[in-house]
Amino acid sequence: MILQRLATAIRKQDWFTVIIETLIVVFGVYLGIQLGNWNAAQKAKAEEARIIERLTIDFQAQEALVLYYIEMAEDMIADLDELATLLESADPPENEAHVRRMIANIFGVSTKTPPPPSFEELVASGGFAQLSDIALREALAKYGQTSSLWIYVENRSVALKQPDSPLVLALKYRPGSLSTGEEADKFVYDWEKLREARSALLLVLINLGQAHDRHQKDLAAVRNVMDALEAAQ
């Protein structure tokens, strides 16, 4: 309808009407574009708020998980440190059950805590661009870098990977897992062979110490993200 009036005005050389009708068309297009941009911005804002909410929930859970892993690693280190001290004596300890529980921790694994699901989804989808807060993007990137450094920490000491490992040879066990204290009663040990394997045990302690250090760095990175999330809300 407007285009028809505009064409009529041009034929009649009614330039005032031409200008008015042209302005109406331009203004209408401008409003349409602005409305589209506003709708897109609102959708982006809502999606960003959803992402931040999910990240907040996931990283709160991640903090608790990393703290648990740190506590577990510290317990394992304390046990193996005590066992290494006991192995300095030629006389086996009277409390065999306690020794078996400590030995079970030799085969314990202190692994990398898996990244939160929402973080992995952002990485996979390239969704970091949806976050407008620069400090939050930087904190998430730093967390990803910190987490990736676990590649330099083996899950188990090399001393446990070979069948002829002195630690393995010092133990005789029945079928069953040795990964938890509850399974400690399923095997017996040769005290003299354990003493000979003390140097290998110290390698396990070093490995656990490295894992504990990585957990601490993970915790600092997680808390840095949590602070950035709180500031972004």
Side-chain angles (χ1 to χ4, degrees):
M1 193 68 180
I2 292 177
L3 292 178
Q4 184 179 0
R5 291 199 303 269
L6 183 59
T8 301
I10 292 174
R11 284 197 301 271
K12 293 181 178 180
Q13 295 186 353
D14 186 353
W15 303 121
F16 178 77
T17 301
V18 170
I19 293 173
I20 295 299
E21 296 291 349
T22 302
L23 288 175
I24 291 174
V25 172
V26 171
F27 188 65
V29 172
Y30 172 77
L31 285 180
I33 293 173
Q34 289 299 104
L35 182 60
N37 291 340
W38 184 83
N39 285 333
Q42 290 299 107
K43 289 181 180 178
K45 187 176 180 180
E47 177 62 15
E48 181 180 12
R50 186 190 68 82
I51 292 173
I52 289 176
E53 182 180 7
R54 282 199 62 201
L55 285 170
T56 299
I57 294 172
D58 282 357
F59 271 89
Q60 287 173 348
Q62 189 74 2
E63 180 188 32
L65 181 61
V66 175
L67 285 171
Y68 169 74
Y69 273 56
I70 289 174
E71 182 181 0
M72 183 173 62
E74 289 173 348
D75 288 344
M76 293 166 66
I77 290 171
D79 275 350
L80 297 190
D81 189 53
E82 181 183 352
L83 180 59
T85 301
L86 291 174
L87 288 172
E88 294 177 355
S89 172
D91 298 324
E94 294 181 1
N95 191 345
E96 293 186 5
H98 180 56
V99 173
R100 286 198 300 269
R101 185 185 65 80
M102 290 188 293
I103 292 174
N105 271 336
I106 295 176
F107 295 88
V109 179
S110 187
T111 61
K112 167 186 175 181
T113 52
S118 55
F119 175 82
E120 290 189 311
E121 288 177 14
L122 277 181
V123 173
S125 65
F128 287 102
Q130 296 175 277
L131 301 173
S132 60
D133 192 286
I134 296 176
L136 177 55
R137 293 203 303 267
E138 290 177 348
L140 288 167
K142 185 176 181 180
Y143 167 76
Q145 293 168 358
T146 302
S147 181
S148 68
L149 292 176
W150 267 95
I151 192 173
Y152 298 107
V153 179
E154 293 182 344
N155 290 340
R156 295 190 183 191
S157 171
V158 174
L160 298 176
K161 289 187 173 181
Q162 303 299 327
D164 58 349
S165 162
L167 283 174
V168 175
L169 294 176
L171 303 174
K172 294 180 181 179
Y173 55 92
R174 303 181 184 90
S177 172
L178 296 181
S179 62
T180 64
E182 289 76 4
E183 303 294 335
D185 60 346
K186 293 187 177 181
F187 67 91
V188 294
Y189 57 86
D190 185 313
W191 186 251
E192 286 304 316
K193 288 184 178 180
L194 273 178
R195 293 191 69 218
E196 294 172 2
R198 187 173 181 274
S199 59
L201 177 66
L202 295 177
L203 291 177
V204 179
L205 266 171
I206 291 172
N207 180 255
L208 282 173
Q210 293 172 336
H212 181 267
D213 181 64
R214 288 254 50 90
H215 286 313
Q216 292 284 6
K217 287 181 170 59
D218 280 353
L219 180 62
V222 166
R223 287 177 170 171
N224 185 39
V225 171
M226 292 175 67
D227 289 341
L229 286 167
E230 184 177 358
Q233 292 178 354

